[in-house]
Amino acid sequence: MHRTYSMRATRAPTASQIQNPPPPPSSTKSGRFFKGGLGHALRGKTAGAFGPDLAKKLAQLVKMEKNVMRSLELVAKERMEVAQQLSIWGEACDEDVSDVTDKLGVLLYEIGELEDQYVDRYDQYRVTMKSIRNIEASVQPSRDRKQKITDQIAQLKYKEPNSPRIVVLEQELVRAEAESLVAEAQLSNITREKIKAAYTYQFDALREHCEKVAIIAGYGKHLLELIDDTPVTPGETRAAYDGYEASKAIIQDCEDALTNWVTQKAAVSAKLSTRARTLSTRRRNNIKARSEGLDLSGQDAPLNDQDGWVSAGQHQRHKDDYSEDDEDEEEDELEGRTSHSALGSEAGLNGGETRGRNQEPVVA
């Protein structure tokens, strides 16, 4: 009668979600048939094997991050299952152990949900890094064209030193170098802008996740204090458990703490030493001094970057400039064909999940 969950699957948005609206669901949560290690192996072997040379290294990073995200999804799912199993096991124990394990299951399940939300925010970082990869891919043709013209001029000077075509090619080389300079400047500017944005997404998400997990851990330890671990002699009966209201109050306090958490309330802060702070300030002042009076806004227009870059809460899933997503779909189809017979036991993986014991009304 005391088994109720105060952390429900549907509840009002938290203060942090109102301040920073959650992103769309991660792109790794759909479009796949098999959740084993085959996809990891395929992506690990094919990462960077396709696309322009300039974008291969970053393409490999993006593929590796996809593996990380899918591993995080699996951890979140199994954490929820562990929470349910803990609650189920404790039901047959003594009253104090039964009640506390039930409430611990609530907290552990909440950690699983936080990990699932972290995956969605982590995807913002990955999508932004993909946009840098697309810009790198768009710069590669200008590099290739300049190199091709340079090779043609060298070949003609060796075979036909007096050829009139050398003059024409040299003029084309001047134009190609000018185009390449513009493209390289755009790549340099936009790369710096987007790498700062991408890792800001990741570190903000990581900070929120860790702070909330620390909150849950603290309330979990308060729950453990409700268990009477005083040794008893054989035949001695323990005192009746009277901590039901206390455990419910602890769970409610934890829920309130998670709901009201915002970045400004973060308990952990990164404090620089005097030397590090002085050097960092000097660096920022140097950057500011060099940028004063220079208007480089015109250089920041994306070069053939059809995806563009939009703010955290607005980015949409879209096709990339080259076929990484198509490769991912092919990998997923291959995974599905390879493991079709194994899907029957996984049919309910993404469906609604229960939280262990059935909810029962609370006796007033």
Side-chain angles (χ1 to χ4, degrees):
M1 64 180 63
H2 297 284
R3 314 203 192 290
T4 61
Y5 291 112
S6 63
M7 294 182 178
R8 289 172 285 274
T10 57
R11 54 181 180 265
T14 65
S16 177
Q17 290 173 335
I18 294 174
Q19 185 183 70
N20 184 20
S26 165
S27 57
T28 61
K29 291 182 179 178
S30 60
R32 56 187 173 134
F33 300 98
F34 185 56
K35 299 187 177 182
L38 179 59
H40 280 230
L42 287 174
R43 278 186 295 275
K45 291 180 179 179
T46 61
F50 305 97
D53 291 339
L54 180 60
K56 282 185 177 180
K57 291 182 179 179
L58 190 52
Q60 185 171 9
L61 172 64
V62 170
K63 291 275 192 178
M64 293 168 70
E65 290 289 13
K66 191 167 189 177
N67 281 350
V68 170
M69 290 175 61
R70 290 194 167 173
S71 297
L72 290 172
E73 290 175 35
L74 182 60
V75 169
K77 175 183 174 296
E78 294 191 347
R79 177 97 63 188
M80 296 178 191
E81 293 175 350
V82 166
Q84 293 171 7
Q85 190 61 33
L86 174 63
S87 183
I88 292 170
W89 166 77
E91 189 170 19
C93 297
D94 293 338
E95 285 187 334
D96 54 347
V97 175
S98 177
D99 181 55
V100 170
T101 55
D102 189 34
K103 299 304 187 292
L104 289 176
V106 175
L107 298 185
L108 293 177
Y109 197 99
E110 183 69 14
I111 292 177
E113 289 186 336
L114 290 175
E115 287 169 337
D116 191 61
Q117 295 168 15
Y118 175 64
V119 172
D120 293 339
R121 292 193 179 277
Y122 197 91
D123 196 39
Q124 290 182 290
Y125 147 76
R126 179 176 173 271
V127 168
T128 306
M129 294 300 291
K130 284 175 68 175
S131 68
I132 301 177
R133 179 209 64 188
N134 296 342
I135 296 167
E136 288 184 341
S138 70
V139 170
Q140 186 69 49
S142 66
R143 288 189 178 183
D144 293 343
R145 180 168 178 266
K146 185 177 73 171
Q147 185 61 46
K148 181 180 179 181
I149 295 173
T150 302
D151 293 343
Q152 289 176 340
I153 292 174
Q155 187 177 16
L156 280 175
K157 284 184 177 181
Y158 177 76
K159 292 185 176 180
E160 303 177 41
N162 299 322
S163 173
R165 181 165 171 72
I166 293 178
V167 177
V168 176
L169 288 175
E170 287 177 341
Q171 293 174 348
E172 290 184 9
L173 180 60
V174 171
R175 289 193 293 270
E177 287 177 339
E179 293 175 1
S180 180
L181 284 174
V182 173
E184 296 290 348
Q186 290 178 339
L187 174 61
S188 176
N189 293 339
I190 296 174
T191 296
R192 284 163 171 75
E193 172 192 347
K194 293 194 174 185
I195 196 169
K196 290 179 72 173
Y199 279 94
T200 297
Y201 288 145
Q202 180 176 155
F203 292 141
D204 284 349
L206 185 61
R207 185 182 192 184
E208 178 177 349
H209 177 69
C210 293
E211 288 268 349
K212 289 186 174 181
V213 169
I215 289 172
I216 292 174
Y219 283 99
K221 293 190 72 174
H222 286 305
L223 282 173
L224 294 176
E225 296 297 326
L226 301 180
I227 296 178
D228 180 8
D229 60 350
T230 305
V232 295
T233 58
E236 182 182 353
T237 304
R238 290 188 181 276
Y241 178 62
D242 57 357
Y244 290 112
E245 292 302 321
S247 65
K248 287 163 56 179
I250 291 172
I251 289 292
Q252 187 62 53
D253 286 350
C254 182
E255 182 177 11
D256 292 342
L258 294 176
T259 300
N260 297 324
W261 186 93
V262 290
T263 304
Q264 290 76 8
K265 295 183 179 179
V268 179
S269 60
K271 295 182 179 179
L272 296 177
S273 65
T274 302
R275 180 173 183 272
R277 184 166 56 252
T278 301
L279 294 174
S280 297
T281 302
R282 183 186 304 169
R283 169 63 179 169
R284 289 195 298 269
N285 290 339
N286 290 341
I287 294 173
K288 183 178 179 181
R290 285 195 294 268
S291 64
E292 286 179 352
L294 298 177
D295 182 9
L296 300 178
S297 59
Q299 281 187 257
D300 291 339
L303 181 65
N304 298 328
D305 183 15
Q306 296 177 358
D307 292 336
W309 179 80
V310 293
S311 62
Q314 299 174 345
H315 75 78
Q316 301 292 329
R317 306 305 172 204
H318 41 63
K319 293 184 179 179
D320 295 318
D321 288 351
Y322 65 91
S323 59
E324 183 199 332
D325 289 340
D326 293 337
E327 297 164 23
D328 292 344
E329 291 174 5
E330 292 175 3
E331 292 168 7
D332 293 336
E333 290 175 4
L334 177 58
E335 294 168 11
R337 290 196 297 269
T338 306
S339 58
H340 183 71
S341 62
L343 288 176
S345 61
E346 300 289 335
L349 272 180
N350 293 323
E353 298 189 29
T354 59
R355 301 197 176 208
R357 306 170 187 165
N358 295 328
Q359 181 171 338
E360 300 177 9
V362 178
V363 173

